[in-house]
Amino acid sequence: LADIRAILADAPLYTPHVPGTGKAMSVRMSNAGPLGWYTDRAQGYRYIERHPETGRPWPAMPEAGLALWRALTGYPADPEACLINYYGEQAKMGAHRDQDEEATDAPIVSISLGDTAVFRIGGLKRGGSTASVQLASGSVVVLSGEARHAYHGVDRILAGSSRLLEDADLGGGRFNLTLRRVTRP
C-alpha cells in the first residue's frame, strides 16, 4: 500500500474513457513501470510511456510486485506494466479479454488490496458459462495458459469488507494491480 501511495503521488489516478463512445469508465487508474495501459475515445486501447495528464514517465514498478511475478510465473522476462485500478464502491469492470499485449503468451498477475471484489471468469468466447469468486484483500490471481485469454471482469465491490483503505484519501474501496509483459522478450 505504501508503494501504491508513492506511485500515485507521482502519477495520480485518472479516469479512462471507452473507445468509440467516450463514456467514462467507473474505475480510475494509473500505472507503474516503463509502459502504462491507457484508453481513450480517439485511439482506443494501447500502452503509452507517459502519464496522460502529467506528461511524466510512469514511476518505477514496485519491487514487491516484481517479486511476486518472478515467484509465481516462471516467465523468462519481467513485466513492463503495472496497471493500478482503483474501484470505489460503485465501480465495476465489464467482461473483457486482455489482448492489447504483443506477448500474449505471458501470464497476467493480479493483486487485490482493500474491499473484496466479485470476480467473474468465463471461457475464450463471450457469452459462455462463467464462475464467480470473491477476491479479498491480499488475493493474488495468475491468468496463464488458456485462462490468459478468458473473458473476465468485476461484477461488484463489497463495500466496507476491508478496512485497509479506510484511512486513505479515497475513504475505502479497492486497488487491483495487474502486472503484464507487453512486448515479446
Side-chain angles (χ1 to χ4, degrees), residues 3 6 14-15 23 42 58 78 91 116 125 149 162 174-175:
D3 289 341
Y14 60 89
T15 302
K23 181 180 176 188
W58 300 108
D78 282 342
T116 297
K125 295 185 182 203
H149 305 284
S162 170
R174 170 183 188 259
F175 281 116

Side-chain angles (χ1 to χ4, degrees), residues 51-178:
H51 190 284
E53 295 176 359
T54 69
R56 293 191 302 266
W58 300 108
M61 196 168 304
E63 285 299 322
L66 287 171
L68 275 173
W69 173 275
R70 292 169 184 156
L72 297 175
T73 70
Y75 196 74
D78 282 342
E80 295 168 293
C82 176
L83 172 59
I84 302 167
N85 282 329
Y86 171 72
Y87 292 79
E89 64 182 64
Q90 299 299 316
K92 54 181 84 172
M93 180 77 64
H96 65 282
R97 297 189 319 163
D98 296 318
Q99 299 293 301
D100 302 317
E101 301 81 22
E102 176 186 298
T104 57
D105 64 322
I108 294 176
V109 175
S110 168
I111 305 163
S112 297
L113 297 170
D115 285 343
T116 297
V118 178
F119 178 75
R120 181 176 301 274
I121 187 162
L124 301 179
K125 295 185 182 203
R126 187 181 291 279
S129 63
T130 62
S132 291
V133 64
Q134 292 187 6
L135 299 180
S137 189
S139 295
V140 176
V141 174
V142 178
L143 295 176
S144 64
E146 202 170 277
R148 162 66 170 81
H149 305 284
Y151 279 91
H152 61 280
V154 173
D155 287 342
R156 68 185 178 281
I157 303 302
L158 303 179
S161 55
S162 170
R163 297 177 57 192
L164 184 67
L165 301 182
E166 276 184 356
D167 66 340
D169 294 337
L170 303 165
R174 170 183 188 259
F175 281 116
N176 176 256
L177 285 68
T178 59

Side-chain angles (χ1 to χ4, degrees), residues 8 11-17 25 27-31 36-39 46 48 50-53 58 83-86:
L8 296 181
L13 292 169
Y14 60 89
T15 302
H17 293 84
M25 292 184 167
V27 298
R28 295 185 325 182
M29 61 181 52
S30 189
N31 290 274
W37 186 86
Y38 181 67
T39 182
R46 63 195 183 280
I48 58 176
R50 297 179 174 276
H51 190 284
E53 295 176 359
W58 300 108
L83 172 59
I84 302 167
N85 282 329
Y86 171 72

